[in-house]
Amino acid sequence: MSIFSTATRLEQQNYPFAMAQIIESRGSTPRHSGQMLILNDGAVIGSIGGGMMERRVIEEALQAIEQRQDRMFNGRMTRDGHNAVGSDCGGAMSVFISVHGLRPRLLLLGGGHVNQAIAYAAAPLEFAISVVDVYAPNLEAPRFPTGVDLFHAAHYAEAIKQLNPDEHCYVIIATNSQDREVLDALLPYPVKYLGLLASRRKVQTFVRHWQQQGVPEEQWLRLRAPIGLDIGAETPAEIAVSVLAEILQLKNGADGQAMNQITTSPSAKPITA
């Protein structure tokens, strides 16, 4: 199996890895072209020539994966001086390191109409989407777009523990009758976005519960509820647009303000042909 087919499989699985590719070599180097994959656990597939140069590229690739940022590595096969890698061959190599398998995760708890609409709207947005429900009929394949991971669980808490949402995960809760249990299980996790589809009254009831139970305020203050931007959304499709707009605002670090630059001034003259 070629490293490119392996890379495709890893990308589909959203498994973090880096591809290191020689883009320039000068002088005496082990190879003048080549690629290799570096997985986030340190495993390597392929080679760019071995030795100290490859070792340094692996180190750089692991840092790139951790920082979620592509980088260029320029190495000189000498023991001293700028960009020295600690060998005596005398050549130099430039290697581009690109990171992959780092799509943000969108975890939808509950497979009802709104989360179905959110899944379809999010599919083109490069999220790795997972849906969990304790009611198996809600997870029938036609209800969700191709590529969405569907999990049927006896209890939501078990699925949450298995999926282990992290700081790159966006979570939307829409389970109806089990929202509070799901939230109690999720609050300790450092997710990027924690949203609950609920009425204001329901949210107030949950907050009183956490206060009475002594749940640390910094945990439940992260919750966004009701979710979405106020665009007057009512249908599942409209709610999906509202919720994903809020998620993208957070993901992209935007202020969410209208971008309109057209204003009307009493002194403005009409435009004529």
Side-chain angles (χ1 to χ4, degrees):
M1 182 180 293
S2 72
I3 65 170
F4 297 105
S5 58
T6 301
T8 299
R9 176 175 55 81
L10 293 171
E11 180 71 27
Q12 291 172 344
Q13 296 173 349
N14 202 37
Y15 189 94
F17 71 98
M19 176 175 282
Q21 181 161 351
I22 300 171
I23 62 170
E24 184 181 7
S25 64
R26 302 173 296 281
S28 179
T29 59
R31 294 184 63 174
H32 297 285
S33 65
Q35 307 85 20
M36 71 177 181
L37 305 181
I38 303 94
L39 279 59
N40 71 333
D41 62 0
V44 175
I45 301 169
S47 174
I48 58 169
M52 293 302 298
M53 179 69 76
E54 183 167 293
R55 187 179 302 176
R56 282 292 306 277
V57 168
I58 293 172
E59 293 172 356
E60 292 283 332
L62 292 173
Q63 293 177 19
I65 294 171
E66 182 178 356
Q67 297 172 10
R68 307 174 75 87
Q69 183 66 52
D70 299 347
R71 64 176 63 185
M72 181 74 72
F73 176 71
N74 299 300
R76 294 173 56 247
M77 303 184 73
T78 59
R79 293 190 178 273
D80 302 298
H82 184 60
N83 293 332
V85 301
S87 63
D88 299 312
C89 295
M93 185 182 291
S94 295
V95 180
F96 181 65
I97 301 170
S98 56
V99 294
H100 306 272
L102 296 173
R103 287 176 292 153
R105 298 167 63 194
L106 178 61
L107 176 57
L108 306 178
L109 295 166
H113 295 299
V114 171
N115 272 349
Q116 290 170 29
I118 290 173
Y120 271 100
L125 301 178
E126 295 300 318
F127 284 98
I129 307 171
S130 301
V131 184
V132 178
D133 205 305
V134 296
Y135 182 58
N138 275 350
L139 298 174
E140 293 175 354
R143 296 174 182 262
F144 295 95
T146 303
V148 172
D149 292 324
L150 305 175
F151 294 89
H152 176 236
H155 305 283
Y156 281 106
E158 294 176 3
I160 292 167
K161 185 176 181 180
Q162 179 183 349
L163 292 169
N164 191 29
D166 59 16
E167 66 274 15
H168 304 296
C169 189
Y170 299 77
V171 182
I172 298 172
I173 303 166
T175 69
N176 295 318
S177 62
Q178 299 186 55
D179 288 345
R180 197 174 76 184
E181 291 83 353
V182 171
L183 279 166
D184 287 343
L186 268 172
L187 286 178
Y189 289 87
V191 297
K192 182 77 170 179
Y193 175 97
L194 180 60
L196 172 66
L197 182 70
S199 66
R200 297 182 188 278
R201 181 176 179 180
K202 189 174 188 178
V203 173
Q204 292 169 356
T205 300
F206 287 177
V207 169
R208 285 196 296 268
H209 162 74
W210 293 321
Q211 290 173 330
Q212 293 169 359
Q213 296 298 315
V215 178
E217 188 177 79
E218 61 270 17
Q219 289 189 2
W220 54 261
L221 279 179
R222 297 182 298 113
L223 176 65
R224 294 175 183 244
I227 49 174
L229 301 184
D230 186 2
I231 59 173
E234 293 187 357
T235 68
E238 290 176 342
I239 295 171
V241 171
S242 168
V243 172
L244 287 171
E246 182 176 60
I247 287 177
L248 290 175
Q249 177 187 353
L250 176 64
K251 173 179 172 290
N252 298 333
D255 58 20
Q257 299 299 311
M259 295 187 291
N260 175 50
Q261 294 293 310
I262 303 300
T263 59
T264 300
S265 171
S267 61
K269 296 181 179 180
I271 299 174
T272 58

